[in-house]
Amino acid sequence: MTAGVLMAVEEPGGKVVEVVAGAGGPELLLRRRDTDGPHLRAPLSGMLTASTGRPWRVEPAFGDSVRVCTAGGTVVVTAGLGPLSARLELAFAHGGLLTLTTTWRNDAEHEVTDVAAGLLLPLPTTDAHVTMPGVLYNGNPSSDPRRKVPREGFVGEEHRLPIPAVNAAWDGRYVSLFAHPTPARLDDGTVAYGSLGVVRSPGLTVAAMTGVIAFDGEPDVCYVSKAEVADRPVGYRDLGPGETVTTRHTLDWGSVEPRGLGFTRLVRTDLYRDTGARPLSRDEIVRLKTNAMDARWAGEGYLAYDGTRPGKPRSYLYGWTGQCMKLARCDAELGLEREEPERVGRARRAAAFYVEGSRMPVRGLRHGRHLLDEDRWEAFRKDGAAFVSSRAHGETVADLAELALRLREAALPVPPDWEEAVEDAAAFFWRTRLPEGVVPLGWTPDGDPFSSLVTAAGVACVQALLGAYRLGGEKVWLRRAEEVLGHYHRLYAATFERPFAHATLDASGEDKEAGMYYFQAAFELYRLTGRETYARWAETAADWLLTFVYVWSPEFDEGSTFRRRGFQACGWPAVSVQNHHLDVFFPTSELMEFGLMTGRTHYAERAETILHAMGQGICTEPGDWGFHVPGEQGEGFFQTNWQRKGEANTWNPSWVIALPLHHALRMRKVA
């Protein structure tokens, strides 16, 4: 043992935990034998915190009360924190991960109320890249500054996090703190969990608390809906004399470069064994979703909504929430598979209706909605103005190309104007790019970029460029697709300092849907070129997308629908840093195909879990989950204190039919 080292434990993989003498008392060092210097150095007194009374505060242990010893390879730290004492045990577990077990005890002879205790990891920098899965990505730099979304000073409930962890990366190094959520069922039947986040104390500090929360540094403030917060003091504990509260966490550390890829260490750390729910087979999902799709058919397309809703007239909607063209792809696939020509005919009619009717005066630009009862086409609207979304337009044109290719594969004729529509759109996408080389957020009806804002929304248009290449065989489209995706890679995926954002029309920030299309385009380029570079790009994007996917299943309050029906969140994707709920929008089948094609089989396994998890909430008989048509499913499932925890809504735009059906069909075919 070197001079100044009071004690040390290490594991075969090279991780070392040392306790050294410091000016203010003993300090903890986390390092690796193959790396110079420590990954983390922190005074032990600053790692333990407890306060009493409201609002909660970060109050470190008394420095002169800290004691350290070893017991059979375990470092044991004890400290005093006012009327409480704390015991922190650090020991390596299998796989080189460090387990931290912390117990706070009331040493007073009276009850201590409103206790907020926790474990702190003060970082050696004020500029770490911090990832909290589904919630916080490097401070959410693309989120609209006028909207409330998590940024610095956010401590959230563990059940808000798909992977209950925080990763901080800087200077080629990372530290990840994982929680092992343990539900506490309170007397009123509600369930409480611990909390995780990042605070300024005064520097940048990862905090694992016993349940208290904060937003923008304000304690007891909860993020409760889209860009909305509310005062909500939760997580406080009352401890009687001698009563204790214990938490368990796992710590991992190592090297990562660039620092923005620290999230890859979160999805590849195998700590959680939840296998998710499997209420329906692939065939049952296909049967039920097909029934719902059939109920949406309205002569020339598929209704965007179930019947007429206030403010939602009967319409065909293309891309984003409507997915009329993807439903046509599903109908065609079913028709070819089952030898049901009427389904293929419906798909043809839906595509032809779009190609013939949606043109705008600018060649290559198209409307995204048709109002049936008014028999007219219209664009989306954004900020009160007509707006053609690059995400929705690119997605629809890519689906049109895929439909044409599938019919051609089946030796069926494809109308020439379909291929012309795809090429016209691809040419429009190419010539209207921003100076940065990417497609704009959208366009005005005159074909001008709607905004100069650089976003990842238009990455869906890369797939349309690839569709033009696959349909016509002209390599110029392949080269252009490679060039455009290269610009997106440089802006977003090379470092992830500014992650994918702005794909959805009802949010303004980092969201999984923006990353979906990059992943799909990179995977398609790998399929077409065989270049391993694109496989690596797709792999990193897949890992980023998987930070939105639950690896565990929180418990729910007594009386809630989720508690009554045994809903399991494991396998469900969350939505965005703004919208903290679950939905079925995910590239599930592409993830499986990518895993199988590249030998990265863990992606295929995750895709299976995801598909089957999404079988929950599907109406199996009239009245089930609040629907009258079997196969219908709600758009939002609320697993946390964001809107109605433990409940699902009955808002059912047609993408909730299209996406699960599309992926179930593809995955059934692969199987």
Side-chain angles (χ1 to χ4, degrees):
M1 192 174 293
T2 58
V5 177
L6 304 178
M7 60 190 62
V9 293
E10 58 183 280
E11 56 87 31
K15 288 180 183 160
V16 181
V17 176
E18 294 177 338
V19 178
V20 302
E27 298 181 352
L28 180 74
L29 272 69
L30 306 179
R31 63 180 184 86
R32 296 185 67 98
R33 287 196 299 269
D34 58 358
T35 307
D36 293 333
H39 283 67
L40 191 69
R41 180 168 185 157
L44 285 170
S45 60
M47 291 181 61
L48 294 164
T49 180
S51 69
T52 57
R54 305 185 186 189
W56 66 275
R57 306 161 303 285
V58 173
E59 293 187 355
F62 300 120
D64 58 1
S65 71
V66 177
R67 301 288 183 269
V68 186
C69 67
T70 57
T74 299
V75 175
V76 180
V77 182
T78 57
L81 302 100
L84 307 179
S85 63
R87 177 184 175 91
L88 169 63
E89 299 179 8
L90 303 95
F92 281 111
H94 179 72
L97 301 175
L98 187 69
T99 298
L100 296 84
T101 305
T102 315
T103 300
W104 291 269
R105 183 179 188 275
N106 178 10
D107 288 339
E109 296 181 354
H110 56 83
E111 183 182 50
V112 178
T113 59
D114 293 334
V115 172
L119 181 69
L120 305 176
L121 295 180
L123 302 177
T125 177
T126 59
D127 186 34
H129 189 299
V130 176
T131 300
M132 293 179 63
V135 170
L136 189 70
Y137 295 90
N138 199 30
N140 296 337
S142 294
S143 289
D144 187 338
R146 297 167 297 179
R147 300 191 186 197
K148 290 185 179 295
V149 297
R151 292 188 175 91
E152 276 190 7
F154 180 79
V155 180
E157 315 89 314
E158 289 170 350
H159 48 74
R160 199 176 286 262
L161 304 179
I163 306 171
V166 180
N167 174 273
W170 68 95
D171 296 338
R173 304 178 182 203
Y174 76 90
V175 171
S176 296
L177 183 68
F178 297 86
H180 297 268
T182 302
R185 192 165 293 278
L186 307 181
D187 292 341
D188 62 358
T190 60
V191 177
Y193 280 95
S195 50
L196 288 171
V198 181
V199 298
R200 291 279 180 181
S201 176
L204 195 61
T205 299
V206 177
M209 306 299 295
T210 51
V212 290
I213 60 174
F215 188 92
D216 279 349
E218 293 294 323
D220 302 337
V221 176
C222 186
Y223 186 55
V224 296
S225 191
K226 291 183 182 181
E228 294 181 14
V229 298
D231 292 336
R232 189 170 291 176
V234 299
Y236 291 96
R237 304 291 293 267
D238 297 338
L239 300 180
E243 192 174 355
T244 63
V245 56
T246 298
T247 62
R248 186 167 69 93
H249 295 85
T250 291
L251 200 57
D252 181 33
W253 63 95
S255 301
V256 64
E257 188 63 43
R259 67 178 197 157
L261 270 62
F263 63 83
T264 62
R265 303 310 191 261
L266 293 177
V267 298
R268 297 177 189 175
T269 304
D270 187 18
L271 281 176
Y272 307 98
R273 302 295 179 179
D274 198 329
T275 57
R278 301 176 70 92
L280 301 172
S281 67
R282 286 195 193 103
D283 288 344
E284 289 170 321
I285 293 173
V286 168
R287 176 180 62 82
L288 289 164
K289 289 295 180 179
T290 299
N291 184 73
M293 176 180 69
D294 291 346
R296 296 290 177 98
W297 177 252
E300 304 291 346
Y302 310 85
L303 294 175
Y305 313 106
D306 179 19
T308 302
R309 291 170 177 256
K312 301 291 182 183
R314 292 198 315 147
S315 65
Y316 304 143
L317 190 61
Y318 300 85
W320 190 42
T321 64
Q323 299 296 326
C324 195
M325 196 64 69
K326 195 168 300 286
L327 284 169
R329 286 181 61 189
C330 293
D331 230 354
E333 186 61 43
L334 284 163
L336 294 170
E337 178 187 287
R338 299 176 178 178
E339 298 184 356
E340 296 177 355
E342 65 276 12
R343 289 194 177 278
V344 178
R346 288 200 320 195
R348 283 183 173 280
R349 284 161 60 187
F353 185 80
Y354 173 78
V355 170
E356 294 166 8
S358 65
R359 294 185 185 90
M360 299 177 74
V362 176
R363 188 166 183 168
L365 196 62
R366 290 180 176 272
H367 290 293
R369 186 196 321 260
H370 178 76
L371 303 178
L372 272 71
D373 297 326
E374 300 178 35
D375 192 24
R376 67 178 177 88
W377 290 85
E378 67 174 14
F380 294 120
R381 299 194 70 79
K382 187 175 179 66
D383 299 330
F387 167 73
V388 178
S389 161
S390 61
R391 174 261 172 93
H393 191 17
E395 187 178 24
T396 302
V397 171
D399 278 332
L400 175 63
E402 289 290 347
L403 176 59
L405 288 162
R406 183 67 181 96
L407 295 179
R408 183 185 292 175
E409 178 187 284
L412 295 174
V414 175
D417 60 344
W418 292 15
E419 185 174 335
E420 180 184 346
V422 172
E423 289 200 357
D424 285 348
F428 175 77
F429 298 154
W430 174 257
R431 71 174 180 266
T432 58
R433 290 172 302 142
L434 298 176
E436 292 80 2
V438 299
V439 179
L441 179 70
W443 302 272
T444 68
D446 295 328
D448 297 322
F450 189 84
S451 166
S452 61
L453 182 69
V454 177
T455 75
V459 73
C461 298
V462 176
Q463 289 175 274
L465 295 173
L466 292 173
Y469 165 64
R470 292 169 62 205
L471 275 172
E474 294 185 22
K475 286 202 170 181
V476 63
W477 297 118
L478 176 62
R479 292 194 296 270
R480 288 176 174 179
E482 290 185 282
E483 180 178 335
V484 176
L485 193 68
H487 290 305
Y488 282 112
H489 176 78
R490 175 179 55 83
L491 289 167
Y492 295 101
T495 66
F496 278 88
E497 291 297 306
R498 200 170 190 88
F500 304 113
H502 291 283
T504 62
L505 300 185
D506 64 343
S508 182
E510 291 72 12
D511 66 81
K512 72 163 186 278
E513 292 171 35
M516 279 178 50
Y517 300 103
Y518 174 90
F519 163 72
Q520 290 172 321
F523 178 29
E524 187 63 22
L525 279 172
Y526 172 69
R527 271 200 275 222
L528 292 171
T529 69
R531 291 180 57 192
E532 188 61 28
T533 294
Y534 295 131
R536 291 197 301 271
W537 289 9
E539 179 177 33
T540 304
D543 285 348
W544 189 79
L545 290 169
L546 286 172
T547 65
F548 286 89
V549 177
Y550 269 73
V551 296
W552 68 295
S553 296
E555 292 189 13
F556 297 99
D557 299 345
E558 294 287 354
S560 67
T561 299
F562 286 4
R563 170 75 171 175
R564 177 171 52 84
R565 302 203 59 153
F567 180 88
Q568 298 179 46
C570 180
W572 276 88
V575 176
S576 70
V577 302
Q578 176 183 287
N579 298 343
H580 294 182
H581 66 281
L582 309 176
D583 72 15
V584 300
F585 222 118
F586 201 76
T588 315
S589 59
E590 292 89 349
L591 185 67
M592 167 175 272
E593 292 173 359
F594 175 69
L596 295 176
M597 181 176 290
T598 61
R600 297 164 169 91
T601 55
H602 60 286
Y603 291 126
E605 293 166 0
R606 290 298 301 276
E608 279 285 351
T609 299
I610 293 165
L611 179 73
H612 287 288
M614 292 174 180
Q616 299 173 102
I618 297 176
C619 170
T620 58
E621 59 184 17
D624 193 21
W625 289 94
F627 298 102
H628 65 277
V629 176
E632 291 286 2
Q633 188 175 20
E635 175 263 357
F637 290 76
F638 305 113
Q639 81 289 1
T640 191
N641 297 323
W642 192 91
Q643 297 192 5
R644 299 176 294 127
K645 180 183 174 185
E647 303 295 332
N649 65 17
T650 54
W651 172 232
N652 56 343
S654 57
W655 68 263
V656 187
I657 302 169
L659 270 294
L661 178 56
H662 168 73
H663 294 304
L665 285 168
R666 287 167 62 99
M667 292 170 75
R668 185 172 71 173
K669 196 172 183 179
V670 169

